[in-house]
Amino acid sequence: MSMWVYIIKRIIYSIGVLFGVSILIFIISNIVPGDPARIALGPRAPDWAVKRLRKEMNLDKPIVERYFLWLGNLLKGDLGESLRSRRPITKDISEYLPASLEIIALSAFFMATIGINLGRLSARFSDTWLDGVIRIVSYIGIVTPAFVWAILFALIFSYLIPIFPTTGRISPGITPPPRITGSYIIDGLLTGNFKAAFDTLWHIILPALALSMGGAAQAARMTRASMVDNAEKDYILAAKAYGIPYKLIYKKLLLKPSLIAPISIMALDIAALLGNAFLVELVFLYPGFSRYGVEAMLHKDLFAIISVVLIIGVAYTVANVVIDIIIAYLDPRARMGAEQNV
Amino acid sequence: MDNFDNIALKIENLRVYYKVYKGVLKVLDGINIEVMKGERVALVGETGCGKTTTLKSVMGILAKNAILTSGKITVMGEKILEVDEERIFQKRPKGVAMVFQDPTAALNPVFTIGEQLDLVVRYAAGVTTNVKEHAINALKLARLPDASRIYTNYPFQLSGGMRQRVCIAMALAANPNIILADEPTTNLDVTIQDQVLKLLKRLSTEKELAMILVTHSLGVARETCDRIYVMYAGTIVEYASSEHIFKNPLHPYTQRLIASIPRLTGEGIAEGIKGRIPDYLNPPKGCRFAPRCEFATEKCFNSKPPLYEVEKGHFVACFLYEKKSEVTHPNADNS
């Protein structure tokens, strides 16, 4: 019961946060130098054409008015029109975003399973050779940029040992499933086109793995640190003294309080992928949201930029709500709103 | 000693060192403690003198960097620790439960009291049926009001005093013969301290539990326990019945300890003891108290004093009593 109240409260707060974020993004993207209308039409377009476009885009109105016009449209589900593709931005995004979300979801899965399990193993065998190996591997994981992993994986697992496809989202010979959610995997499963779903999954394994390496390494280190730290606490010593089996202590009594920190960090890492996956998407020639965002910025495609940043903002907010829910599950103190008195 | 069957816990010649960056801390230097069945024994000494290390050795939960160099521990006639030249024999003691100093740290913050108690009932007491009733019963024994509600609570929902009662309940849930209480009242309010001590005392009487109460307060020790072991820097310097320790303190350290108890008679701040606990990296070769002792002689610095039985059941590790160990009522003038 209290859990639901807590979640609803968190969601209401988040809507407030998003409102603030939207103001911030709108102002920043409107005060950066360069005239979007001029860039859209090119340097040789006559002045009157530029003027007309500015009027069409409401750029001649004061910024406050423009914001409310934009917000009104946003609430109607209209993000404006891209200056580059001349298509509604919602249409562009509805193509790219699900593709990216597929990768991010898989990447999150990899991060959590690889990270937490390596960390757990490392803590369980702390100060042995296994711990040493895991710690070195996680150092390497943290310091190596994701695109290097991407190139490395592509080289090894699709070129030298051709198990996975090198590029793209789906094999050329397979027709994508009809659009329901935009995710090929989900749509494929819903329409019974398992072949397309599986093929898409096969395509995103390498990019997802490349993207997850940094976060997984980080999570492994944090899980280990927190477990080793908590293992010295009296409640674990007591559990040992009372003869509670070692396995149970490690899997339950020690793990649960130790997951709070790594999970918080991991959720933010995952949200960050939405904007930071650009280079990896480039390596795998993947039609993802990051690439769309970077291209929009390079062309000063005003409304596209605002929309991309806004969606990344939404992703962070959602990630924060998810963190709060997971932590509320793990930590009764957060859930019940009591003062932290440790 | 007299009757083996009556001994609940026996610690012999226990030496525990800690390996640290700078070298080896020689903390416990040959501890001998004997607790009879149903007897309450206090272990009194300053912070850092090795009281907690002693208890942790019994429970088998010493820190990773601890080195056991000698010792033998027997619980209810069963050997649980023996260090010899080749190997260290160690097993988990049955029927021993420990109450920790800080009840907040001793309870897992993310599990309910019930979840934690159930595990203790299941694994420490070996009870597999009616686990919940057992757990709630333990809470009731620890005089917790509304035990079935507390069973569903998380530790942070309880006050400090209640948490310590929960820890005591957890110890009881293990069906112990011996309870080791490590300064159980240090982190509590004065009024609650008294309640917790009375609870421990009553439980030990009712259930015939042997108990070691670690404390730094001689007053608490006298109120609660039958016998007192005075510990200084990893050595037992004196032990006797509570009454005798106060009536006739023999060791210079015990004498100073008693003199330093604050009184309410307005004599100002009580006398302390000059100096500090020795450096465990390089402890004194002889008596560890010698550098702080006003009676110390050459001999005290060079060799360790054995325990002399000055009166019946009253032992002291001090060369002042070397020749007078037969005398029933010694004068502590010189050696």
Side-chain angles (χ1 to χ4, degrees):
Chain A
M1 185 57 208
S2 64
M3 185 86 181
W4 289 109
V5 175
Y6 177 80
I7 293 171
I8 289 163
K9 254 195 213 161
R10 285 297 301 137
I11 290 172
I12 293 170
Y13 283 142
S14 318
I15 291 170
V17 169
L18 280 178
F19 186 69
V21 167
S22 74
I23 294 175
L24 206 65
I25 296 168
F26 194 84
I27 291 172
I28 291 173
S29 52
N30 273 280
I31 58 174
V32 284
D35 181 355
R38 169 56 77 189
I39 295 170
L41 294 174
R44 290 203 286 180
D47 279 349
W48 57 265
V50 175
K51 219 170 180 178
R52 203 175 61 188
L53 185 62
R54 286 178 61 85
K55 201 169 170 125
E56 219 175 274
M57 291 169 68
N58 293 323
L59 285 173
D60 53 343
K61 298 202 170 86
I63 189 162
V64 179
E65 199 184 331
R66 260 157 46 206
Y67 173 73
F68 283 106
L69 281 170
W70 173 76
L71 189 67
N73 286 334
L74 174 69
L75 294 177
K76 278 183 276 174
D78 177 12
L79 290 167
E81 196 178 74
S82 163
L83 293 174
R84 204 156 46 91
S85 64
R86 283 285 170 180
R87 294 196 309 173
I89 291 163
T90 37
K91 197 163 180 335
D92 282 351
I93 286 176
S94 69
E95 267 169 34
Y96 293 112
L97 189 60
S100 267
L101 290 180
E102 277 177 339
I103 287 197
I104 289 168
L106 187 64
S107 188
F109 171 76
F110 284 146
M111 252 189 225
T113 48
I114 298 174
I116 290 171
N117 281 312
L118 278 187
R120 222 174 70 176
L121 215 60
S122 199
R124 172 79 174 71
F125 297 99
S126 62
D127 300 323
T128 64
W129 63 268
L130 185 65
D131 182 27
V133 170
I134 293 174
R135 286 166 81 179
I136 291 170
V137 169
S138 39
Y139 267 123
I140 296 172
I142 288 175
V143 298
T144 313
F147 74 89
V148 175
W149 289 118
I151 294 170
L152 213 63
F153 289 158
L155 202 63
I156 298 171
F157 297 110
S158 18
Y159 181 71
L160 295 177
I161 319 163
I163 315 170
F164 293 104
T166 40
T167 52
R169 189 178 175 196
I170 193 161
S171 300
I174 296 171
T175 26
R179 186 188 167 84
I180 301 170
T181 59
S183 151
Y184 286 179
I185 296 177
I186 296 173
D187 293 352
L189 292 177
L190 287 178
T191 54
N193 189 350
F194 298 117
K195 204 172 164 200
F198 184 76
D199 190 67
T200 308
L201 181 67
W202 208 238
H203 273 79
I204 64 173
I205 284 180
L206 285 189
L209 201 60
L211 282 174
S212 69
M213 293 303 277
Q218 181 94 338
R221 291 177 53 76
M222 291 196 71
T223 308
R224 179 196 183 273
S226 191
M227 282 181 83
V228 167
D229 198 33
N230 284 335
E232 297 287 309
K233 295 258 168 78
D234 282 352
Y235 57 81
I236 296 299
L237 294 182
K240 284 181 181 165
Y242 284 127
I244 294 167
Y246 219 58
K247 256 190 167 168
L248 197 59
I249 293 179
Y250 264 86
K251 278 190 171 163
K252 193 176 169 186
L253 299 180
L254 183 55
L255 189 63
K256 198 176 169 191
S258 305
L259 281 181
I260 295 164
I263 283 181
S264 317
I265 298 296
M266 216 178 340
L268 292 179
D269 279 347
I270 291 165
L273 291 182
L274 200 53
N276 296 349
F278 173 63
L279 288 171
V280 173
E281 288 178 0
L282 203 61
V283 170
F284 289 99
L285 293 179
Y286 191 82
F289 185 73
S290 267
R291 266 175 81 191
Y292 177 75
V294 171
E295 273 158 24
M297 282 169 213
L298 291 176
H299 292 90
K300 196 155 168 64
D301 190 347
L302 186 64
F303 290 117
I305 296 174
I306 296 175
S307 313
V308 165
V309 180
L310 188 68
I311 286 170
I312 292 174
V314 171
Y316 267 99
T317 314
V318 170
N320 270 307
V321 173
V322 172
I323 295 171
D324 286 340
I325 292 171
I326 293 175
I327 287 174
Y329 166 73
L330 289 173
D331 190 348
R333 288 165 295 191
R335 176 165 71 235
M336 298 177 176
E339 72 278 22
Q340 302 271 102
N341 50 354
V342 182
Chain B
M1 261 192 270
D2 31 14
N3 193 350
F4 254 111
D5 297 340
N6 279 330
I7 298 173
L9 170 69
K10 190 170 182 172
I11 301 173
E12 291 166 83
N13 198 25
L14 182 68
R15 281 194 168 76
V16 179
Y17 298 168
Y18 287 101
K19 204 175 161 172
V20 291
Y21 177 69
K22 283 195 277 180
V24 174
L25 301 174
K26 301 185 182 68
V27 178
L28 291 192
D29 189 33
I31 296 285
N32 291 290
I33 294 175
E34 219 173 64
V35 185
M36 299 297 157
K37 284 179 185 166
E39 186 189 32
R40 285 187 297 271
V41 163
L43 198 54
V44 182
E46 283 165 271
T47 307
C49 73
K51 294 168 297 188
T52 303
T53 299
T54 309
L55 298 194
K56 284 189 172 174
S57 315
V58 177
M59 300 307 288
I61 50 171
L62 284 169
K64 264 189 183 168
N65 62 337
I67 313 164
L68 281 155
T69 42
S70 83
K72 185 179 170 189
I73 299 176
T74 329
V75 169
M76 306 302 283
E78 192 191 8
K79 186 172 73 182
I80 59 152
L81 176 85
E82 187 167 43
V83 184
D84 58 36
E85 278 151 31
E86 282 127 50
R87 59 185 214 109
I88 296 172
F89 168 87
Q90 195 165 18
K91 65 185 272 194
R92 197 180 69 78
K94 277 200 198 86
V96 187
M98 183 159 168
V99 177
F100 288 85
Q101 180 173 352
D102 179 2
T104 308
L107 294 171
N108 199 322
V110 300
F111 291 97
T112 61
I113 304 296
E115 286 171 298
Q116 302 184 50
L117 268 174
D118 283 356
L119 285 174
V120 173
V121 170
R122 219 176 270 278
Y123 293 105
V127 175
T128 47
T129 49
N130 301 333
V131 173
K132 189 178 172 182
E133 278 99 288
H134 257 86
I136 288 181
N137 200 33
L139 289 170
K140 283 182 184 153
L141 273 176
R143 291 290 188 278
L144 277 157
D146 205 355
S148 43
R149 183 181 56 82
I150 285 172
Y151 183 85
T152 61
N153 278 159
Y154 286 95
F156 76 92
Q157 294 171 299
L158 307 175
S159 68
M162 281 166 98
R163 277 181 220 163
Q164 192 58 293
R165 279 168 195 269
V166 167
C167 289
I168 292 170
M170 207 173 272
L172 293 173
N175 268 345
N177 301 308
I178 305 166
I179 286 192
L180 310 179
D182 184 7
E183 304 202 31
T185 57
T186 308
N187 284 298
L188 303 177
D189 290 344
V190 184
T191 46
I192 316 279
Q193 280 183 12
D194 191 50
Q195 292 174 15
V196 167
L197 287 172
K198 281 195 175 123
L199 173 69
L200 280 171
K201 191 172 174 178
R202 207 191 42 233
L203 284 170
S204 111
T205 316
E206 278 171 15
K207 310 203 85 188
E208 290 180 16
L209 289 173
M211 186 167 94
I212 295 189
L213 176 74
V214 161
T215 170
H216 52 246
S217 155
L218 268 172
V220 165
R222 173 167 64 173
E223 254 175 65
T224 322
C225 296
D226 310 316
R227 281 196 302 137
I228 295 176
Y229 280 78
V230 180
M231 205 167 163
Y232 179 79
T235 52
I236 299 287
V237 293
E238 181 171 1
Y239 66 92
S241 67
S242 307
E243 207 183 315
H244 276 100
I245 288 276
F246 272 86
K247 220 195 301 175
N248 185 22
L250 298 173
H251 199 280
Y253 177 67
T254 317
Q255 291 166 358
R256 304 311 298 262
L257 210 56
I258 289 173
S260 68
I261 297 175
R263 281 168 231 280
L264 293 172
T265 46
E267 295 164 33
I269 293 170
E271 248 183 292
I273 305 173
K274 282 199 190 77
R276 292 195 301 155
I277 251 180
D279 178 11
Y280 286 121
L281 277 175
N282 260 318
K285 209 169 83 200
C287 172
R288 287 191 168 181
F289 188 60
R292 292 169 82 178
C293 180
E294 49 190 313
F295 307 106
T297 61
E298 181 107 17
K299 189 173 182 184
C300 299
F301 284 98
N302 292 323
S303 49
K304 290 184 202 301
L307 282 161
Y308 299 109
E309 187 168 15
V310 177
E311 39 188 345
K312 190 169 184 321
H314 192 161
F315 291 80
V316 62
C318 182
F319 287 122
L320 292 175
Y321 305 93
E322 194 175 4
K323 284 162 196 156
K324 296 174 178 165
S325 52
E326 313 299 306
V327 183
T328 4
H329 200 75
N331 273 325
D333 45 7
N334 57 18
S335 58

